[in-house]
Amino acid sequence: MRILIIGGNGTIGNPVATKFAEAYEVIIAGRNSGEINIDIADSASIRAAFEKTGKLDAIVCIAGEAKWAAFNDLSEEDYYIGLRSKLMGQVNVARIGREFLNPGGSITLSTGILADDPVLMTTSAAMVNGGVHSFVQAAALEMENGHRINAVSLGMVEAAYEKYKGYFPGHNPVPMDVTVNAYVRSVFGTDNGKVLRFY
Amino acid sequence: MRILIIGGNGTIGNPVATKFAEAYEVIIAGRNSGEINIDIADSASIRAAFEKTGKLDAIVCIAGEAKWAAFNDLSEEDYYIGLRSKLMGQVNVARIGREFLNPGGSITLSTGILADDPVLMTTSAAMVNGGVHSFVQAAALEMENGHRINAVSLGMVEAAYEKYKGYFPGHNPVPMDVTVNAYVRSVFGTDNGKVLRFY
C-alpha cells in the first residue's frame, strides 16, 4: 500500500507519517521538505507532484494555510490566501489526485474545529475549513472506482498547544494518539463523505 | 427602518421584500433589476451600491451564484465562479456593508441545504455554502456597534420546486411563509452568528 502524505513533516503530519510507515510505503510531499515538492496553492505543482508519485492507494493532505487576523483587518486579498491554499488547494488535491488513485483508494483532507466553533481572528480560517467540510460530503456522492473521501477535523492538537493555547481559551488539547487515529480511521476504515471530528 | 435587499426581485427575495415593505423602507438591489445595481462578485460594485444606499438598519443578501456540474466536469476555474460570487461576494457584502450599518443593525446572508446535505453535481455549490456557514459564526464574534450577522439556510423552496425537484429526489419543499419567516427572524430577532436552517 502506497500512501502520499502532503505535509508529512509537519506537527500533525510527522506522527501520522511515522505511524503509517510502520506497515506501509509512505511518500512525503511538502512545500519545503519531503521527497516530493508540492505547493497545493498551485494546481500545476499538484499535478507535477502526482506525476512523480505515480499510482497511490491513499492520499492524505495535512497542508494548507489561511490568514489569521481581526475581521476589521482582513482585506479581500487576505481571504484569497486561504481560498487558494486551504480550500481550493485541498479541492485540487482531490480533483487531480483521483486520477492517480488505485481502485478502492482514499483521499483524506484536513480541516479543524474552527469550521464549527471559531475563535477570534478566524473569519478566513473558519470559512475555508467549513468549505472543505461541505465539499467532502458532496464529492463523496460522486466518487468512482470505490474511492472514498473524508475530512479530519481536529481541535488544537497537543503538539501545538503551547504555541497556540492563547487563541483557544479553555480548549482541551487533542492527544497525539487520537490525532493519529483520526487519519488511521479515514485511510483504513470505511468512512466516505464524513467529517471525522475530534475536538 | 431602512432595509437593503440584494436580490430582492428573485424567487426568494421578492416575497421577503414584499413582506418587509409592509412596515419598513425597503431598497432593492440587483444585478439586472432593482433600484440599485450591484454585482456581488465585484467588491467595487458592492461599495458603489452602498454609497448609493447610505446608512441602513439591515442588509439582506439573497444573491450569489455557483456552478452546478458533475465533479468530473468542474474545472478549477468553475469553482472560482462560486468562490468569487456566493462565497466572497457575501463575505464582501458583510465586510463593506458594516461600514454603512447603523448601530444595532444586522446582516443576513443566504446559503442552503447543500452545505449540510448535498446532492449530485454540487461539489462547488455545497462548498461555498459551507464556507458562508462557518464565516458567519466567526464574524459574529467580532461584530461591533451591536451589529449581528446570520445566514439563512433553506431547503428547496416551494416557489422553485417545479424547476429543481429533479435534483432533489424526495426533498420536501419549504413553504414560502416559512422561507419569509427565516429572514424575518434574522432581521428582527436577536440571533447572532446563527445558521438558521429550515429544511
Side-chain angles (χ1 to χ4, degrees), chain B residues 90-113:
Chain B
Q90 296 204 92
V91 169
N92 283 329
V93 164
R95 284 179 58 244
I96 298 166
R98 271 197 321 158
E99 301 171 30
F100 298 86
L101 206 54
N102 287 324
S106 69
I107 298 165
T108 303
L109 307 181
S110 297
T111 59
I113 188 172

Side-chain angles (χ1 to χ4, degrees), chain A residues 12 60-66 68 85-87 90-91 108-116 125-137 149-157 168 174 179 182-183 194-199, chain B residues 127 134:
Chain A
I12 296 171
V60 178
C61 184
I62 314 177
E65 59 181 356
W68 282 50
S85 174
K86 186 89 179 181
L87 180 50
Q90 295 205 91
V91 169
T108 303
L109 306 182
S110 297
T111 58
I113 189 172
L114 298 173
D116 301 319
M127 177 185 85
V128 294
N129 283 321
V132 173
H133 283 189
S134 296
F135 168 77
V136 298
Q137 292 174 75
I149 184 168
N150 299 298
V152 167
S153 184
L154 299 166
M156 185 184 30
V157 302
F168 293 89
V174 180
T179 297
Y183 289 90
K194 293 277 182 66
V195 177
L196 299 165
R197 292 172 164 89
F198 294 90
Y199 295 156
Chain B
M127 177 184 83
S134 296

